[in-house]
Amino acid sequence: MHIGRRHFFLNAIAVIATAAVVVAVLALMNVQEPVAAQTGESAGSLVVLGPDQKPKAVCPLKQTHVKAEISGFISRVTVTQEFENTFKAKIEAVYTFPLPQNAAVDDMTMTVGERVVRGRILRRAEAQAVYDAAKNNGQVVSLLDQERPNIFTQSVANILPGEQIRVTISYVETLKYEAGVYEFVFPMVVGPRYVPGSAMGSTGNGFSPDTDKVPDGSRITPRFAHPTTRSGHDITLDINIDAGVPIDTLNSKSHAVYIERAQPQQAQIKLKGGAAIPNQDFVLRYEVGGKGIQDALLTHRANSGGFFSLILQPPDRVTSEDVTPKELVFVLDTSGSMSGFPVEKARETMKLALDNLYPADTFNLITFAGDTRVLFPEPVPATSTNLRKAQQFLDRVSGEGGTEMMKAIRSALEPSDSQKHLRIVCFMTDGYVGNDMEIVSEIQKHPNARVFAFGIGNSVNRFLLDKMAEYGRGEVEYVASTDDGSAAAKRFHERLRNPLLTDISIEWNGLPVADVYPMRVPDLFDAKPVVLTGRYLSAGKGMLRLKGKMSGHEFVREIAVDFPESESQHDVLPSLWARQRIEYLMGQDYAGAQSATMKPELQETITNLGLEYRLMTQFTSFVAVEEMIVTDGGQPRRIEVPIEVPEGVNDATLDQDAVIKENFGNPVAHSLPVEKTYARSIATRRVGDAKVQATPARRSGGGGGGFGPGSGGGMAGGVSLNRSLTRSAPVVPLSPEEEKQRTLAAKINPSISALIARLKSNQAAKADEARFVREGKAEIQVWLTDKTPANLTKLKELGFEILLDSKTSSLVIGRLPVEKVERLVELEFVRYVSPQFLKN
């Protein structure tokens, strides 16, 4: 497979419900210790040479165990990663791995021997600070970060020689249901990501640098195992299903499985052989008997309030066809990662779809890789001559080059802005791009088009494809190597000619509900239920009305609902609701999320939701610290975990150094320390009404994406590292006093700064104060640069009452009069101050 010349970063492939990533070359000939190759701040892949001098991968990730409990349409999944240090030196392991894009990750625990430590959810920067401090103290510590809704990074520091550590991640999700069939998907590998843009240094340890288009490119491009090796760890799955109704058929086309059926409505599924190489997504489908899904209302009400999930069965399909002329544009990804079966499957599916066009329909074909090619200047009728030209065009398609998807998105969608008739765009791709949120943001700008997505491959980017269809008011289809392309084409044709229910709305008729998601109910193209998640403010009964259009006629159905005063069951509903709300808020500024410049008010709201509901977000992380301090001294060695190449992706495309050298010159240039890449001598500001531009501080290791103190991304005083200076007005250096104030502002959490400002103006409400202030004293977390007895004495002299002197870090938790907090940050040894939120 040919590598394109335009920034093709096939980062390949992060593994499993655990897999992938980070930094140090191990050469094991007569050497018994891992040795890091020095290339700036990072190094190469973990490579172990056997007696025959051939590479044989070894990594501290021993195995991953996945256990899923499925009840109805809700699944609770735990993922346990077992780490083992087989070396003589203490190590740190960092992995990048996938989880389902709609998973609500709400727990993380770490087990060291027989000791279990439950993870705490903190602001991302604060979690990073705890991790760094514990690592420096020699303690075992783990950190879980979210890079994308479907890409996560797990870091574990200070694994002693011979020691085994287990990290367990737990999440809840809803299953996909369509026409009587449930689908459970567990992603096992992060596919290779093409990272567009110009290199801007590195904040992570992937082989791609960060770029101006993808500021966290180095955090989503984990290194991969040598093509002649495997990563050395396996994955096991144990799935228990209680469908509530008899299960008719159950199978997995992706993996060989054992199935046990103790009861008609129950099933237990395990992988054959007990384990598998994690190089393709696991997909399980099962069909239930009877009429299928029925209307259902699940509720939970406790001290945190009332939550509900409402499942409304779809109507029966009407057989009349919508023959309104349509303009169909097929967009085919022909980049290198699509080489082989993916592009062949896409070609097959597209040809069948073209053969079923109506005479009045028009169509066009667009292909994209490094460049975008358009078959016809404008859509043409589906005549035999034009269809033959389309076939000839498809016959010349082959997978090569980078994935410059944005050009194709604009070529396909911009003509729809001025069209009065319906333009339907069908994208056929694996979605292996790093600027996925930017692409979704672009689709949001073109509401007059319908976007359908075909995910072609065994480990596609489901987050991107799901969101393309969601915001494009279309549907998504996934076609794996074992799937029938003709069946997918037939479903696509059926969706276009006969949508099931459109223009859907819900009338609540005075029922006490709030914050119901999705806010805009998507059209139904298949026999899928309408699923709504929301809050209810008080007990109540009533009738809601489901309205829509079916084959041009009005459709109305009334459903009785009953919100109880108290309900202890279904305690996962608050997590599911909060996850839905977070997704909605992220969708308000995907462009900002992509560039690490999200609107501050959105970022703060998302952060607070994560903290309140104990959920992973882009801005919150889990951290777990073992309290027993390791006293052997020295820093842990950093080990890069080799990962599996996704099944179906050509190994020949994965020459990382060649790719980097081709696109950026020196293959280690992307590893230079951030401050060298972004060096600016002084902070600057514009005169008059212009904005201040601050000097970006160096990001702390693993911070990624610009979150946290010193990260330059989202906390007070921070500036995105990837934001260029604005020179629309003259610039002058900040004065010493301005520089001092900027430095102090960066040391205090925005929530505290805002409260202090409100207190000074007598605008703070009691409820506002109660979040972390009681009787005039703020309960706060204080990170110190050096926790010495002298510094602790200075804190006490200021009036700081220590509640907890943590063994795990340079952190102390205590109380201080609110009016003295500003004096606290003036102390040189105070690194960062954050609220300790009070519990009711």
Side-chain angles (χ1 to χ4, degrees):
M1 186 188 306
H2 177 66
I3 292 288
R5 299 187 58 83
R6 304 177 73 169
H7 318 319
F8 192 18
F9 291 102
L10 283 174
N11 81 167
I13 330 32
V15 168
I16 82 196
T18 115
V21 194
V22 196
V23 158
V25 170
L26 175 64
L28 205 75
M29 295 175 67
N30 297 318
V31 181
Q32 299 300 315
E33 303 280 350
V35 180
Q38 300 300 317
T39 54
E41 289 189 330
S42 64
S45 305
L46 177 70
V47 179
V48 178
L49 301 179
D52 58 358
Q53 298 301 297
K54 293 183 179 179
K56 293 183 178 180
V58 173
C59 68
L61 177 60
K62 185 179 180 181
Q63 194 163 31
T64 297
H65 303 279
V66 180
K67 185 173 183 179
E69 298 288 341
I70 300 174
S71 178
F73 79 109
I74 294 177
S75 175
R76 165 64 72 179
V77 182
T78 58
V79 180
T80 300
Q81 304 167 345
E82 292 187 2
F83 302 89
E84 182 178 23
N85 183 2
T86 59
F87 306 114
K88 291 185 178 180
K90 183 169 58 176
I91 65 171
E92 176 186 17
V94 185
Y95 306 85
T96 300
F97 63 95
L99 289 176
Q101 67 279 7
N102 61 345
V105 181
D106 56 4
D107 200 15
M108 186 263 273
T109 61
M110 180 178 67
T111 303
V112 184
E114 299 301 320
R115 304 180 298 278
V116 179
V117 183
R118 192 182 187 201
R120 298 174 58 201
I121 189 75
L122 297 173
R123 291 174 181 267
R124 183 163 179 160
E126 295 168 5
Q128 182 68 52
V130 170
Y131 178 84
D132 290 341
K135 181 176 71 172
N136 292 334
N137 287 346
Q139 295 157 285
V140 179
V141 57
S142 61
L143 174 69
L144 182 64
D145 288 324
Q146 176 181 310
E147 316 300 349
R148 294 287 189 278
N150 59 341
I151 302 179
F152 295 78
T153 298
Q154 177 73 66
S155 304
V156 183
N158 293 314
I159 307 176
L160 292 176
E163 190 172 42
Q164 294 190 9
I165 296 172
R166 297 192 305 276
V167 176
T168 299
I169 302 163
S170 183
Y171 67 85
V172 63
E173 65 170 340
T174 56
L175 270 59
K176 178 182 177 181
Y177 177 91
E178 182 178 326
V181 178
Y182 285 93
E183 181 180 82
F184 171 82
V185 177
F186 184 79
M188 292 190 180
V189 59
V190 174
R193 292 295 192 267
Y194 169 81
V195 178
S198 301
M200 300 285 286
S202 290
T203 56
N205 298 284
F207 73 83
S208 167
D210 301 333
T211 72
D212 56 349
K213 293 290 187 182
V214 187
D216 59 351
S218 62
R219 295 188 61 84
I220 61 173
T221 54
R223 297 174 180 270
F224 47 85
H226 189 279
T228 63
T229 71
R230 58 170 300 174
S231 62
H233 57 267
D234 298 320
I235 182 170
T236 64
L237 283 96
D238 189 349
I239 304 171
N240 295 304
I241 302 175
D242 187 348
V245 294
I247 300 172
D248 285 349
T249 60
L250 189 155
N251 67 81
S252 171
K253 291 185 178 180
S254 63
H255 293 73
V257 295
Y258 288 115
I259 300 174
E260 294 183 7
R261 301 286 301 275
Q263 299 290 335
Q265 73 275 16
Q266 296 177 347
Q268 185 177 38
I269 300 92
K270 296 178 181 291
L271 291 176
K272 277 191 176 180
I277 300 174
N279 64 353
Q280 63 177 318
D281 294 349
F282 175 83
V283 180
L284 177 74
R285 296 186 179 97
Y286 59 96
E287 186 174 2
V288 294
K291 192 176 179 180
I293 201 164
Q294 301 295 312
D295 293 344
L297 176 65
L298 306 181
T299 60
H300 176 77
R301 185 170 173 85
N303 292 336
S304 58
F307 300 86
F308 70 89
S309 187
L310 180 63
I311 303 98
L312 302 178
Q313 65 171 316
D316 295 328
R317 186 181 290 278
V318 177
T319 57
S320 61
E321 297 180 355
D322 178 11
V323 294
T324 303
K326 300 176 180 66
E327 183 178 280
L328 303 180
V329 180
F330 295 90
V331 185
L332 176 60
D333 180 354
T334 60
S335 62
S337 61
M338 290 282 288
S339 178
F341 112 79
V343 76
E344 292 300 323
K345 186 71 72 172
R347 183 190 286 119
E348 170 195 356
T349 305
M350 189 182 300
K351 181 180 183 302
L352 290 166
L354 289 172
D355 289 342
N356 285 290
L357 294 177
Y358 290 117
D361 292 339
T362 58
F363 78 98
N364 207 346
L365 295 184
I366 297 175
T367 62
F368 69 95
D371 292 313
T372 298
R373 297 176 59 202
V374 182
L375 176 57
F376 301 109
E378 59 184 21
V380 297
T383 64
S384 57
T385 299
N386 289 333
L387 289 174
R388 185 168 59 252
K389 290 180 180 179
Q391 184 59 53
Q392 293 171 349
F393 184 74
L394 290 175
D395 289 342
R396 295 192 297 270
V397 166
S398 62
E400 61 179 9
T403 314
E404 284 290 350
M405 195 170 181
M406 186 59 74
K407 296 178 183 178
I409 290 282
R410 290 171 176 153
S411 296
L413 297 182
E414 284 179 354
S416 69
D417 297 340
S418 60
Q419 298 289 332
K420 294 183 179 180
H421 61 283
L422 181 62
R423 168 173 272 227
I424 296 171
V425 181
C426 180
F427 286 92
M428 314 186 86
T429 178
D430 52 24
Y432 286 169
V433 294
N435 60 328
D436 33 18
M437 290 186 286
E438 181 189 26
I439 288 169
V440 175
S441 178
E442 184 66 27
I443 289 175
Q444 292 175 313
K445 299 176 184 177
H446 304 281
N448 295 331
R450 286 292 182 105
V451 176
F452 288 76
F454 274 77
I456 312 290
N458 294 327
S459 54
V460 300
N461 184 356
R462 289 176 180 252
F463 163 67
L464 171 61
L465 296 168
D466 278 7
K467 291 302 177 184
M468 288 175 68
E470 175 185 336
Y471 287 102
R473 298 177 302 139
E475 188 58 87
V476 63
E477 180 88 30
Y478 293 102
V479 183
S481 59
T482 55
D483 290 334
D484 184 354
S486 62
K490 182 178 179 181
R491 285 191 293 270
F492 175 64
H493 177 63
E494 182 69 19
R495 288 164 179 160
L496 294 185
R497 73 175 184 174
N498 189 16
L500 185 57
L501 191 64
T502 62
D503 303 313
I504 301 173
S505 63
I506 305 291
E507 294 180 356
W508 293 97
N509 295 325
L511 286 165
V513 301
D515 301 322
V516 180
Y517 302 98
M519 284 199 169
R520 184 183 67 186
V521 182
D523 292 345
L524 292 182
F525 294 92
D526 299 288
K528 300 192 304 183
V530 175
V531 181
L532 303 171
T533 303
R535 298 189 301 119
Y536 69 94
L537 308 180
S538 61
K541 297 181 180 180
M543 302 288 291
L544 66 80
R545 185 175 292 110
L546 171 66
K547 300 178 67 176
K549 290 185 179 179
M550 180 184 293
S551 297
H553 302 287
E554 294 292 330
F555 171 87
V556 179
R557 183 155 63 90
E558 292 188 334
I559 301 100
V561 293
D562 182 359
F563 294 115
E565 181 64 40
S566 178
E567 176 58 76
S568 61
Q569 295 188 73
H570 313 304
D571 58 358
V572 300
L573 292 182
S575 294
L576 290 174
W577 172 81
R579 187 72 176 86
Q580 287 282 306
R581 176 158 170 76
I582 288 167
E583 282 301 298
Y584 168 76
L585 293 170
M586 289 291 293
Q588 302 307 296
D589 190 14
Y590 270 129
Q594 180 71 73
S595 61
T597 58
M598 176 171 271
K599 297 173 183 175
E601 63 274 16
L602 285 175
Q603 179 173 322
E604 187 66 11
T605 301
I606 292 169
T607 301
N608 289 330
L609 280 167
L611 295 173
E612 181 178 357
Y613 290 92
R614 192 177 164 80
L615 288 179
M616 290 289 299
T617 71
Q618 296 288 116
F619 314 113
T620 53
S621 300
F622 276 108
V623 63
V625 184
E626 166 63 22
E627 293 290 327
M628 184 177 295
I629 296 179
V630 177
T631 59
D632 67 337
Q635 288 294 310
R637 298 182 186 272
R638 197 165 175 85
I639 299 297
E640 177 178 349
V641 180
I643 61 175
E644 298 294 343
V645 176
E647 195 280 331
V649 175
N650 191 332
D651 292 343
T653 66
L654 304 179
D655 184 352
Q656 300 163 106
D657 289 338
V659 171
I660 295 168
K661 185 174 182 180
E662 178 180 13
N663 294 284
F664 291 95
N666 185 347
V668 300
H670 68 290
S671 302
L672 292 176
V674 171
E675 64 266 34
K676 292 183 180 179
T677 307
Y678 297 99
R680 291 175 184 163
S681 58
I682 55 173
T684 58
R685 62 187 175 95
R686 281 193 280 158
V687 177
D689 61 355
K691 295 181 179 179
V692 170
Q693 180 74 27
T695 303
R698 175 179 174 172
R699 301 187 188 203
S700 58
F707 308 117
S711 72
M715 308 302 287
V719 178
S720 170
L721 292 177
N722 299 288
R723 208 180 285 173
S724 60
L725 288 172
T726 302
R727 299 193 180 277
S728 57
V731 295
V732 297
L734 294 175
S735 68
E737 180 61 26
E738 289 172 324
E739 178 65 25
K740 175 185 176 181
Q741 293 304 316
R742 185 193 69 84
T743 301
L744 294 178
K747 293 171 62 174
I748 189 168
N749 182 281
S751 296
I752 299 179
S753 299
L755 178 58
I756 291 173
R758 288 194 294 270
L759 287 171
K760 287 181 177 179
S761 60
N762 297 318
Q763 293 179 355
K766 290 186 179 297
D768 187 20
E769 291 187 45
R771 297 181 66 216
F772 58 90
V773 177
R774 184 169 293 167
E775 297 178 353
K777 292 185 177 181
E779 291 201 4
I780 52 180
Q781 304 171 0
V782 183
W783 276 269
L784 308 177
T785 57
D786 191 9
K787 189 194 288 186
T788 64
N791 288 342
L792 293 178
T793 298
K794 290 180 181 179
L795 289 179
K796 294 176 182 178
E797 290 174 351
L798 186 62
F800 186 81
E801 178 186 352
I802 296 178
L803 301 176
L804 175 64
D805 184 357
S806 174
K807 299 177 183 179
T808 66
S809 66
S810 299
L811 169 71
V812 290
I813 297 175
R815 289 191 287 259
L816 183 71
V818 176
E819 63 272 12
K820 294 186 178 182
V821 174
E822 288 180 298
R823 291 171 57 192
L824 177 67
V825 297
E826 293 179 356
L827 298 175
E828 291 184 359
F829 57 85
V830 171
R831 176 186 173 191
Y832 190 66
V833 179
S834 176
Q836 174 72 20
F837 290 107
L838 301 173
K839 295 184 178 180
N840 296 329

